[in-house]
Amino acid sequence: MRQALTLATTRVVDGRQVDVPVGAVVLDPAGVVIGSGTNVRERDNDPTGHAEVVAIRVAAAHLGSWRLDGCTLVVTLEPCTMCAGAIVLARVETLVFGAYDDKAGAVGSLWDVVRDRRLNHRPDVVGGVLADETGEVLRRFFADRR
């Protein structure tokens, strides 16, 4: 989570964070980082440029497969519905996230996409890891915007 937290705060231009500060890393079954990402929506004008999706894309390219069997995704913020869907579709084994997202969270806050029994894959979930620290990064970002 610390590596994801460091990634979350790296996209600074002219002293300001460019995108919402979210970082994500994908670990292979041996615990080696095979993908990482930050939010790039603003930079790339890409509505799918969430940290989780970026990290999943990098990991899949590294493995040469869209299936991330046995992999763990660690992200600083509870995934939204799009990212939760991508996690399920990529067959991520374990999801670890930091701060809960009461406004858009899809892993227990508003919805629980990843644990929906109607789906063919359900990752293990560990939520709230370093939630105070990851949440503080987001609170500072949005306070600076107001």
Side-chain angles (χ1 to χ4, degrees), residues 32-88:
V32 175
V33 174
I34 58 169
S36 64
T38 62
N39 277 354
V40 294
R41 291 185 315 165
E42 298 294 333
R43 184 193 77 189
D44 295 354
N45 296 312
D46 178 2
T48 68
H50 290 201
E52 301 95 310
V53 172
V54 172
I56 287 169
R57 286 177 180 155
V58 172
H62 174 84
L63 292 175
S65 173
W66 61 269
R67 297 180 70 101
L68 302 183
D69 296 321
C71 291
T72 299
L73 173 69
V74 180
V75 60
T76 58
L77 179 64
E78 178 184 0
C80 69
T81 53
M82 176 185 68
C83 294
I87 290 162
V88 170

Side-chain angles (χ1 to χ4, degrees), residues 1 27 31 71 88 107 124 140:
M1 183 61 74
L27 308 166
C71 291
V88 170
V107 186
D124 294 326
R140 279 196 316 264

Side-chain angles (χ1 to χ4, degrees), residues 4 8 14 44 52 56 67 80 96 109 111 125 128 134 138 145:
D14 296 330
D44 295 354
E52 301 95 310
I56 287 169
R67 297 180 70 101
C80 69
V96 178
S109 290
W111 301 280
V125 176
T134 56
L138 291 158
R145 295 279 186 269

